[in-house]
Amino acid sequence: MKYKRILLKLSGESLQGSQKYGLSPEVLQSYAEQIKAAAGTGVQIGIVIGGGNIFRGLTGAKKGFDRVKGDQMGMLATIINSLALQSALEDNGVKAKVLTSIRMEPIGEYYSKARAIEYLEAGYVVIIGGTSNPYFTTDSASALRGIEIEADVMLKGTRVDGVYTADPEKDPTAVKFDRITFEEVLDRRLKVMDLTAFTLCRENGLGIIVFDMDTPGNLGKVLAGEQIGTLVTGLS
C-alpha cells in the first residue's frame, strides 16, 4: 500500500444519508465495510468524524446559542457519531477504540498521542473525538490529530469527488483538479477545509486527499494509489 498510517476525516452530514437528520445504518455499514477492507491491507487508520448531522455549533450560535455552549454540543455530537461508527466496525469484526479529548470514561478513553499510536500499532482503528476546544472545527481536529499521530496523509472523505475551480453543485462549468498545491488553493481561495486546519496541514507538510467516500470502494482505491479525488500537497 502507498501509506502506512492515515487520518481519515469523515463528514457528519454524510452519515445522515438521504435523511435530513441523524444516522443512516446503510451509510454506517458502507463506511465500516470500506474501513474493514482498508485495515485488512495493514494500513493504520485514525478517524475524526464531524457532527453536522446532529448539531453544528456555528449554526446554533446564529440561532441564539452561546458559541462556546454550541461548540460543546457539537463536540458531543461527534462523540455520538464516533460511537456509532465504532459499533458498526465491531459488528463487522474490526477492532476499534474511541479516544475522547474530554474525559468521559467509560464512553471513551482519554486521548493522548502515545495511547493513539499504541492502539494503531496493535491493529485497532482509532476514532478520535475532536479537540475539546470551542472555535475549532473537526477539520482542525483532523489536521491536529493527523500531525500528532504522524499520519502519512489526511484523507478527507466527503460527498464531492475532489477540489474544483468552483462549487460543482452550483457551477456546471467547474473543473476538477487531480493535484493542486497549498499555495494555489490559497491564491484561488478554494474551499478545501477551514483555514486553521488548512494552515496546520500546510505548515507541517501533511498532504490532503479530498475524495468521495460515499462511493463504495473509493477508500481502497485511494490507498492503492489510484487517481481518485484531488491531492493537495506542498509540491508543485
Side-chain angles (χ1 to χ4, degrees):
M1 297 300 281
K2 189 170 183 180
Y3 306 107
K4 179 190 173 189
R5 180 180 297 157
I6 65 166
L7 190 291
L8 175 62
K9 166 64 181 6
L10 295 175
S11 157
E13 284 91 341
S14 290
L15 288 179
Q16 66 195 23
S18 59
Q19 306 165 175
K20 293 184 178 179
Y21 178 85
L23 291 154
S24 162
E26 293 79 17
V27 174
L28 279 168
Q29 178 62 21
S30 171
Y31 283 9
E33 289 173 357
Q34 290 194 69
I35 294 164
K36 177 180 182 177
T41 67
V43 66
Q44 298 175 11
I45 304 172
I47 300 175
V48 173
I49 313 177
N53 56 317
I54 299 171
F55 190 87
R56 185 183 291 279
L58 192 55
T59 304
K62 291 176 182 175
K63 294 180 179 178
F65 283 93
D66 172 78
R67 174 66 192 269
V68 173
K69 289 285 189 293
D71 280 355
Q72 289 170 339
M73 293 166 70
M75 292 172 210
L76 297 178
T78 69
I79 301 302
I80 290 171
N81 287 341
S82 297
L83 294 172
L85 183 61
Q86 179 190 32
S87 179
L89 287 167
E90 290 175 344
D91 283 348
N92 283 271
V94 180
K95 298 188 299 180
K97 291 284 186 182
V98 172
L99 303 184
T100 69
S101 51
I102 306 168
R103 288 202 177 274
M104 51 175 70
E105 294 91 350
I107 288 172
E109 294 182 48
Y110 191 59
Y111 170 83
S112 72
K113 169 182 175 173
R115 181 165 291 171
I117 290 177
E118 182 181 333
Y119 280 134
L120 287 167
E121 292 182 340
Y124 285 86
V125 171
V126 177
I127 308 167
I128 305 168
T131 68
S132 84
N133 296 303
Y135 300 97
F136 287 86
T137 66
T138 46
D139 275 352
S140 295
S142 303
L144 175 62
R145 300 313 186 201
I147 294 160
E148 279 189 321
I149 67 170
E150 301 169 26
D152 299 319
V153 69
M154 182 202 294
L155 304 184
K156 184 173 167 66
T158 69
R159 293 179 290 188
V160 182
D161 64 344
V163 178
Y164 284 75
T165 52
D167 186 342
E169 294 178 355
K170 297 176 182 176
D171 184 352
T173 66
V175 177
K176 176 173 165 280
F177 294 98
D178 290 333
R179 184 185 183 106
I180 190 170
T181 65
F182 287 113
E183 284 67 28
E184 192 172 358
V185 169
L186 292 171
D187 289 345
R188 289 174 174 263
R189 300 189 176 185
L190 301 175
K191 184 67 176 169
V192 174
M193 53 177 56
D194 77 71
L195 202 53
T196 303
F198 190 77
T199 302
L200 271 171
C201 291
R202 179 178 177 237
E203 291 185 350
N204 291 277
L206 180 62
I208 307 162
I209 297 177
V210 181
F211 74 106
D212 171 19
M213 180 73 182
D214 291 353
T215 299
N218 269 1
L219 177 59
K221 291 177 180 177
V222 171
L223 292 175
E226 290 189 33
Q227 181 54 64
I228 298 287
T230 301
L231 171 63
V232 185
T233 176
L235 304 173
S236 57

